Amino acid sequence: MMLATIRNRLILIAALVVVSIAYLIPRTVTVRERGPDGVMHDAKIKRVPLKLGLDLQGGMHIGLDLDQSQKVSANPSGDLDIALGVLRKRIDQFGVTEPVIQRVGDRIVVELAGLKEPERAKAIVTSNAFLEFRLSDKSGAFENALPSMDRALAQLGVKSLTPDGAAPAKGVEALLGGKDTTKSAAADTSKKAAAKSDTGKAAPAAKAATDTSAKVGSVLQSLITSSTAIGSRVPGEYVVQESAYPRVDSLLHLPEIKRLWPRGVDLKWAQSPTAVGAEQVRMLYALDDKPIVTGESLEDATAQIDQLTNRPIVNFALDRAGGRRFGAQTGSHVGDFMAIVLDNFVQGPPPVINSRIDRRGQIELGGRSIADAQDLALTLKAGSLPVPLKIVEEKQVLASLGADSIHEGITAGIVGTICVILIMVGYYRMSGALAVAALALYLLFTLAGLSAIEATLTLPGIAGIALSVGIAVDANVLIFERIREELIAGRSTRIAVEEGFRHAMAAIVDSNVATVLTALFLFQFGTGPVKGFAVTLILGIAASMITAVFATKTFFLIWLDRKSDATTLSI
């Protein structure tokens, strides 16, 4: 038999040691990290290729589901698979090393070890990133449709929210301190009615005037104002007070009102509020309902600082077909305004089209940071999600906890190892020293196995290693006790060693097979940490079978070969 000789046994052990060391040698890896200027750079570092879990180095755990409240999916399973691919692209470019992105049932689980910017990570994984370029509507169709919308609201019984039932002041007029004619008129009407109250006949008239004002009030016209009032020259741009934004949005999306939207016009809100004086307003845009081009034609997007304005921008490049459409449309609309719409929100004031734009252009991000521009660029490049995702589970592990866990784990490991060495050497003497040598090989093989299959080492995984260490020591104890029995029975040292290993093998295999079967069930039906425990336990048992049985016996054979005349064994 090939492994019957000591030489062949040593060659096999040496080969396993060399392969294991090769898997654990620190290697150069490329990671993305933020530089002093806030820009992400690729950096090369050397480290041991062994992944550490969230509980060992800190980080973030996010559970994501399809958000069916925003967009109903006809094929949830297929959409989850597509979303998984999109998230992998985004996270890879985000700069987190060794992220875990996997589908668990009907949910996507993202684990970002070592993450220091959780809010950015959440924004990236949930951003839909659907890009469109649309022309601003310059026909004024939306403003012309407002009276008919207000009549529809009146028929629905929607009233203004002012205490006296009169229509509120127009947003921009109020902000700029203009005359509130509507309110004044209502007040005048009330005063006149009050003046007549002395006669005892005017009270019902005043009440009727108030009721009429409340029922017939122009709700939307009082809340939506053309941006020309604040000096803007963008057509199709309207101003709404930030406090009224939720109400106006809900009213515009009532089915009875949405049917009155002008044909060919779509309404989109600005991404964020704008300051006008001391007040905050939200811009509403009337845009062509057909986009010039969408993000599906996008080939590349990069973030940088504009040299002229010193503001962050995103440069983009379209594919050939998209570039031809973009060039034709922008060439025929020179002088018009084009809104950049991302995830149904307009990104800042629409810029004017100064000339034909072909395949390349840029997105200005106003007062947002370079980090925002980088996030936008990477989400655009990674593509849009088929259905929006919502976060249903979120856990953050602080790096300090991971450091504490590592420190405590190392301390426990050192103490345990010293105890095992003292017990084995003190009780079994020379044979115990051989078992300790085999135990060192066991740790090397187990860690190399984790690195080879790219498994992630977690705290439960360390528990699995510790358990398999006990199993490996237990195997040696079984072998040594059988050898002792053979020596007591009067066998020679060589025969006692052979018989001891042979008789102990059945019990060792039986216990290890039972443990492996249990670990396989844990791996199949467990999640996260349970799977990590199962993987390290299986690898540890495989390593213990090699070291406790094969390596330890090889060491015994080497000792017996050198002490061929030995009549006793230090055990």
Side-chain angles (χ1 to χ4, degrees):
M1 189 176 177
M2 189 182 73
L3 298 179
T5 65
I6 296 176
R7 178 175 174 274
N8 290 341
R9 282 174 167 267
L10 287 176
I11 290 175
L12 179 58
I13 292 173
L16 290 174
V17 170
V18 170
V19 172
S20 299
I21 292 175
Y23 273 110
L24 293 174
I25 289 178
R27 62 191 64 174
T28 302
V29 296
T30 302
V31 298
R32 289 184 65 79
E33 59 184 21
R34 191 176 304 285
D37 55 354
V39 180
M40 300 295 286
H41 299 280
D42 287 337
K44 294 187 181 300
I45 60 171
K46 275 194 172 184
R47 62 182 177 81
V48 175
L50 189 61
K51 295 181 179 179
L52 299 179
L54 290 182
D55 47 5
L56 293 182
Q57 61 173 324
M60 190 170 191
H61 171 100
I62 304 174
L64 298 160
D65 272 353
L66 296 179
D67 191 353
Q68 299 277 11
S69 65
Q70 295 189 36
K71 183 178 180 181
V72 178
S73 171
N75 182 14
S77 179
D79 286 339
L80 271 177
D81 290 335
I82 296 173
L84 197 62
V86 172
L87 289 183
R88 283 187 177 134
K89 290 181 183 177
R90 293 183 182 181
I91 298 299
D92 286 346
Q93 298 174 66
F94 183 56
V96 177
T97 56
E98 299 166 349
V100 176
I101 308 167
Q102 59 186 348
R103 178 175 173 178
V104 180
D106 296 331
R107 182 173 295 182
I108 293 176
V109 172
V110 178
E111 291 186 349
L112 306 173
L115 182 74
K116 298 177 181 176
E117 298 172 296
E119 293 304 321
R120 283 190 66 201
K122 287 192 289 183
I124 286 175
V125 299
T126 55
S127 173
N128 196 29
F130 187 69
L131 179 67
E132 297 174 303
F133 296 92
R134 297 192 184 208
L135 292 171
S136 295
D137 177 62
K138 56 184 180 182
S139 66
F142 173 63
E143 193 167 0
N144 295 333
L146 281 176
S148 59
M149 294 181 184
D150 276 334
R151 284 194 292 273
L153 288 176
Q155 291 174 359
L156 292 173
V158 178
K159 303 176 183 178
S160 60
L161 298 179
T162 51
D164 58 359
K170 288 196 172 187
V172 175
E173 291 173 351
L175 293 176
L176 299 179
K179 185 179 180 181
D180 188 350
T181 55
T182 309
K183 187 175 180 179
S184 298
D188 290 345
T189 303
S190 299
K191 287 178 181 177
K192 290 178 182 177
K196 294 179 181 178
S197 63
D198 294 340
T199 63
K201 298 178 181 178
K207 184 177 185 301
T210 303
D211 290 346
T212 302
S213 174
K215 291 177 180 176
V216 187
S218 52
V219 178
L220 288 177
Q221 292 181 85
S222 66
L223 297 172
I224 301 173
T225 306
S226 173
S227 65
T228 55
I230 57 173
S232 173
R233 62 188 185 94
V234 179
E237 185 182 57
Y238 300 89
V239 183
V240 176
Q241 288 189 58
E242 180 64 13
S243 57
Y245 159 54
R247 174 172 166 80
V248 174
D249 183 60
S250 61
L251 291 177
L252 288 175
H253 286 85
L254 288 173
E256 293 83 358
I257 302 303
K258 200 166 183 178
R259 283 197 292 268
L260 298 175
W261 286 19
R263 182 171 297 179
V265 171
D266 198 4
L267 299 177
K268 300 290 183 186
W269 290 99
Q271 173 74 38
S272 54
T274 302
V276 176
E279 299 290 340
Q280 295 287 316
V281 298
R282 179 81 64 154
M283 297 299 182
L284 175 66
Y285 294 94
L287 308 174
D288 283 1
D289 62 347
K290 293 181 180 177
I292 299 175
V293 70
T294 69
E296 294 176 353
S297 302
L298 196 75
E299 275 192 341
D300 191 21
T302 55
Q304 67 178 64
I305 299 293
D306 191 323
Q307 298 297 323
L308 298 177
T309 63
N310 200 31
R311 291 181 175 179
I313 58 173
V314 174
N315 291 317
F316 63 87
L318 303 173
D319 58 21
R320 292 184 181 278
R324 282 195 295 272
R325 289 198 306 275
F326 202 49
Q329 289 289 322
T330 53
S332 60
H333 287 90
V334 174
D336 291 343
F337 290 81
M338 180 180 65
I340 301 168
V341 184
L342 182 67
D343 292 343
N344 285 321
F345 287 97
V346 176
Q347 303 297 301
V352 66
I353 303 174
N354 293 316
S355 61
R356 176 190 174 99
I357 307 171
D358 290 312
R359 293 184 60 186
R360 297 187 179 277
Q362 68 180 35
I363 301 172
E364 298 179 2
L365 296 182
R368 294 162 70 180
S369 66
I370 183 65
D372 293 334
Q374 290 169 339
D375 292 347
L376 175 59
L378 73 88
T379 50
L380 288 175
K381 281 195 292 186
S384 60
L385 296 170
V387 176
L389 297 175
K390 62 179 179 181
I391 296 175
V392 294
E393 184 183 9
E394 176 186 339
K395 290 184 289 187
Q396 190 171 353
V397 181
L398 298 179
S400 58
L401 176 60
D404 292 342
S405 301
I406 293 174
H407 176 73
E408 297 296 333
I410 291 175
T411 303
I414 292 174
V415 172
T417 302
I418 291 175
C419 289
V420 168
I421 292 174
L422 291 177
I423 292 172
M424 292 298 290
V425 174
Y427 191 71
Y428 293 109
R429 293 171 289 177
M430 187 276 293
S431 299
L434 297 180
V436 171
L439 198 61
L441 292 178
Y442 156 83
L443 290 174
L444 177 66
F445 294 162
T446 302
L447 294 178
L450 289 172
S451 177
I453 64 173
E454 297 184 350
T456 301
L457 183 61
T458 61
L459 277 179
I462 293 177
I465 293 176
L467 180 57
S468 54
V469 166
I471 293 174
V473 172
D474 184 55
N476 282 130
V477 170
L478 283 174
I479 293 169
F480 293 166
E481 292 300 322
R482 294 295 300 176
I483 292 175
R484 276 185 170 181
E485 291 177 1
E486 297 298 329
L487 289 173
I488 293 172
R491 303 287 194 278
S492 66
T493 53
R494 183 174 293 276
I495 293 176
V497 169
E498 291 288 345
E499 291 298 315
F501 274 92
R502 188 169 65 85
H503 289 303
M505 187 60 66
I508 294 171
V509 171
D510 181 61
S511 62
N512 284 354
V513 168
T515 307
V516 167
L517 289 176
T518 303
L520 288 175
F521 276 101
L522 291 175
F523 181 80
Q524 179 63 32
F525 300 107
T527 60
V530 177
K531 280 193 173 185
F533 173 79
V535 168
T536 54
L537 185 58
I538 293 171
L539 284 175
I541 289 174
S544 74
M545 285 293 289
I546 295 173
T547 56
V549 177
F550 184 79
T552 307
K553 186 175 182 181
T554 302
F555 296 154
F556 268 111
L557 292 177
I558 294 173
W559 184 84
L560 290 173
D561 188 62
R562 293 187 175 184
K563 303 281 186 181
S564 56
D565 56 345
T567 56
T568 185
L569 184 63
S570 177
I571 190 169

